[in-house]
Amino acid sequence: MMKALVRLGFLIAVMATTCLLAGSTVRAGSDPLPSWNEGPTKHAIVEFIRATTDPSSTKFAPPEERIAVFDQDGTLWASHPIYPQLMYCLDRLPAVVKARPALAKIEPFKTALSRNMEAISKLSTKDLIKIMAAPLSGMSVERFRADAEKWLETARHPRWGRRYTELRYLPMLELMKHLRANGYRTYIVTGGGQDFVRVFAEQTYGVPPEQVVGTLESVSYRYDKRGRPVLIESAETLLGDVGAGKPEAIHLMIGRRPRAAFGNSTGDRQMLEYTTSGDGARFGMLVLHDDAQREYAYGPALGLPDTRIGAFPQSLHDEAKRQGWFVISMKSDWSRIWAFEQ
Amino acid sequence: MMKALVRLGFLIAVMATTCLLAGSTVRAGSDPLPSWNEGPTKHAIVEFIRATTDPSSTKFAPPEERIAVFDQDGTLWASHPIYPQLMYCLDRLPAVVKARPALAKIEPFKTALSRNMEAISKLSTKDLIKIMAAPLSGMSVERFRADAEKWLETARHPRWGRRYTELRYLPMLELMKHLRANGYRTYIVTGGGQDFVRVFAEQTYGVPPEQVVGTLESVSYRYDKRGRPVLIESAETLLGDVGAGKPEAIHLMIGRRPRAAFGNSTGDRQMLEYTTSGDGARFGMLVLHDDAQREYAYGPALGLPDTRIGAFPQSLHDEAKRQGWFVISMKSDWSRIWAFEQ
């Protein structure tokens, strides 16, 4: 009986292995990144993932170290003409000002209420954070979530007339899925508010709340009128997840140095620097917005003016070259940008 | 050929299912919690895990919501006579004072340097945090890790003469493993320093760095003399992970309300309250230290003096009763406490 069981077990093991091999052959045969044009960038990505998951490769990364971090605005979804979260805050601002009329007379709220997008896009980061924090303050975590969900369902991007979540980049989504299929955990590391991005990250990118690392706003543990515990959003920022704040937040929330980092602007420089300066195989990539027809084009390297939203100055190009980071061109590296494209 | 493949696939599926069923029968037959005495507490734990993972149960919890949070000091390992992390800091203090002699003349460092454990254990939480933060300040994340690792390897508990990590509670380790075997993710939510606990949590409890939620210390992104990026520990606390800070830190780091929470003192009250006040099946449990022979006994409910380290006043007993939290007795619920016991 025992022998028969052992033999049965062996047979199953052999058959299971055969199936797994057959499965991976099929997978290797199909293109995991169909929205990427063939070329050195696509090849480098696919090769990095292959090598770091091949136990016989010198570039092999143990499963627990397979962490890939993605900036959001301009890296995973469109962030022009202004950040979608800022749009949400501008839409909520009249209600905030109704409750606190004094705000209407002081900056940056005066400019924000004007809805003059050009003036708003020129505000300092500090002012933008003020505008983005104001609507949350005093709301319960659940109420904020419901409110943001409703906005994401109803608001439309001024250019495409589509929900903001539809303006995610298909090639990046394929990349995240390919990484996850190879045992990588994909984290979003964004200057956006952590609780805002958590509202849609799971459905939009397949990234669960605990893998969203955003600008950390504090919450306060209180009790509602019925004595039940409730977490209240506060306007206090614990850690701004931009620039040097990105590696700091990564350490705080993940506690390991990522193997791969993807960004699109100066705000991601330190995240890429931290990621790629570790031992072993590392990967850094920046998305260059050079496709005015299908998305946007900006930046001095293209002979175009720079922008406060997703700044990509010449110095970042130089740094990328020095560090061996890939700069991908939306125009020539991506055959398709949107899922809704025909 | 196709038909043969389909038939083969079917056969494998049937055999795999048989194996899985056989596996779960074996698992159900063996006791997942051998260090727990039979009784209502053990039954309640096993039944909670069974019901929340049974799709036909009204108590079923979807996999993504299966989060269990554990306090560390006094819940997962021995925290008397004083917190092991405090012991580490006291051992490091002479070196800190050598670099900053002025500290020797001011409180709480003066008391700390005296190594009078009774006086030290009576210091305020604020003072304890000061002592615990001082040694970290200015060290790189890597250097701190190496230093703490070395200390954990060499330091010995005054009573048992064993490494502190050997003083983890075997019954709790079994519980964590049983939860994980049923798709729960186990997080440590501790007042201890996040980076300190991360040093040994994976090896000691099977909890990876990203699932350690501790008192959040900020780190600073800097460059070393060779221009390489480095994260430096600072003495600044972003969030004290005690009391109301526990649900706040859980929201920050996990973003979901846990299904089960395990603690041992007033500092865990809000964590249990937050966890068990959510919808659906929830579980709250407190460890009562009532075993002076095998570990320690303290607390007013036992007619013994209360303690600053792991305080369990009568009001917490009353709260547990009102809320339906289990209070487990180390003496009568645990047949074995330590792995090194014969």
Side-chain angles (χ1 to χ4, degrees), chain A residues 16 31 84 90 133 136 139 152 183 215 226 231 261-262:
Chain A
D31 183 352
L90 294 180
L136 276 78
M139 268 175 137
L152 285 160
T215 284
R226 289 151 64 200
L231 288 167
F262 304 86

Side-chain angles (χ1 to χ4, degrees), chain B:
Chain B
M1 180 62 190
M2 197 55 209
K3 255 190 178 171
L5 274 179
V6 169
R7 220 175 300 143
L8 182 65
F10 181 69
L11 187 65
I12 290 173
V14 169
M15 285 160 86
T17 310
T18 314
C19 280
L20 279 175
L21 287 175
S24 61
T25 310
V26 171
R27 243 180 280 132
S30 71
D31 184 352
L33 305 176
S35 302
W36 291 72
N37 288 319
E38 297 304 324
T41 314
K42 178 170 178 171
H43 177 76
I45 292 171
V46 173
E47 176 53 24
F48 170 79
I49 297 174
R50 194 208 57 76
T52 53
T53 52
D54 172 3
S56 70
S57 168
T58 53
K59 293 186 174 172
F60 181 71
E64 67 273 17
E65 286 188 24
R66 289 184 207 155
I67 290 167
V69 287
F70 292 81
D71 167 58
Q72 198 205 194
D73 289 299
T75 301
L76 293 179
W77 75 353
S79 65
H80 270 231
I82 60 165
Y83 300 118
Q85 187 182 354
L86 188 53
M87 208 65 209
Y88 164 69
C89 294
L90 293 179
D91 285 351
R92 281 220 77 241
L93 209 51
V96 176
V97 169
K98 206 174 166 188
R100 295 163 62 195
L103 288 183
K105 285 167 205 147
I106 55 168
E107 290 295 359
F109 302 100
K110 215 169 136 182
T111 300
L113 284 165
S114 76
R115 293 187 79 93
N116 175 342
M117 294 304 160
E118 214 189 308
I120 291 168
S121 72
K122 280 177 185 157
L123 289 170
S124 72
T125 308
K126 214 173 154 183
D127 279 342
L128 292 180
I129 287 174
K130 268 188 201 166
I131 295 168
M132 285 158 92
L136 276 77
S137 185
M139 268 176 136
S140 77
V141 161
E142 283 82 9
R143 214 186 114 210
F144 167 68
R145 190 184 174 86
D147 191 76
E149 263 172 0
K150 194 178 148 196
W151 182 84
L152 284 161
E153 206 44 56
T154 51
R156 294 292 182 272
H157 190 282
R159 175 163 160 192
W160 288 278
R162 291 184 176 269
R163 276 187 280 271
Y164 287 94
T165 49
E166 288 181 82
L167 295 163
R168 59 185 182 179
Y169 306 136
L170 193 57
M172 294 305 283
L173 205 62
E174 291 168 1
L175 173 54
M176 290 178 113
K177 282 183 184 166
H178 186 46
L179 282 161
R180 291 197 290 260
N182 284 279
Y184 274 86
R185 273 162 295 153
T186 51
Y187 281 80
I188 293 175
V189 178
T190 173
Q194 184 160 284
D195 281 352
F196 180 76
V197 179
R198 277 171 169 171
V199 172
F200 57 92
E202 190 145 33
Q203 219 182 339
T204 308
Y205 308 114
V207 174
E210 61 271 25
Q211 287 173 12
V212 174
V213 180
T215 284
L216 304 177
E217 304 112 354
S218 76
V219 291
S220 297
Y221 189 72
R222 307 264 180 77
Y223 299 90
D224 67 13
K225 283 171 195 164
R226 290 149 66 199
R228 296 196 320 175
V230 62
L231 287 167
I232 301 292
E233 300 276 359
S234 98
E236 192 203 338
T237 298
L238 292 178
L239 203 164
D241 197 4
V242 176
K246 291 213 171 193
E248 292 168 5
I250 288 169
H251 179 74
L252 195 76
M253 299 280 292
I254 314 176
R256 299 194 212 255
R257 196 192 295 242
R259 285 288 183 148
F262 303 87
N264 78 307
S265 78
T266 43
D268 303 313
R269 194 185 63 75
Q270 289 90 337
M271 177 169 82
L272 266 73
E273 181 181 67
Y274 174 62
T275 300
T276 58
S277 62
D279 296 332
R282 306 274 159 175
F283 197 87
M285 200 188 88
L286 291 165
V287 175
L288 180 68
H289 294 257
D290 60 353
D291 194 333
Q293 206 186 334
R294 293 188 300 171
E295 206 243 12
Y296 295 99
Y298 44 84
L302 307 169
L304 296 168
D306 209 352
T307 166
R308 290 194 68 83
I309 291 173
F312 200 137
Q314 187 57 47
S315 59
L316 186 60
H317 275 271
D318 299 342
E319 178 83 9
K321 205 167 177 181
R322 208 164 40 238
Q323 301 259 18
W325 303 335
F326 287 85
V327 176
I328 66 146
S329 152
M330 292 183 92
K331 198 170 177 176
S332 52
D333 282 317
W334 291 356
S335 59
R336 196 175 164 188
I337 297 182
W338 317 111
F340 55 79
E341 266 176 79
Q342 289 310 315

Side-chain angles (χ1 to χ4, degrees), chain A residues 121-138:
Chain A
S121 72
K122 281 176 185 156
L123 288 170
S124 72
T125 308
K126 213 173 153 184
D127 278 343
L128 292 180
I129 286 174
K130 267 187 202 168
I131 295 167
M132 284 159 91
L136 276 78
S137 182

Side-chain angles (χ1 to χ4, degrees), chain A residues 252-269:
Chain A
L252 195 74
M253 299 280 293
I254 312 177
R256 298 194 212 255
R257 197 191 294 243
R259 284 287 182 148
F262 304 86
N264 78 307
S265 78
T266 43
D268 304 313
R269 193 186 64 75

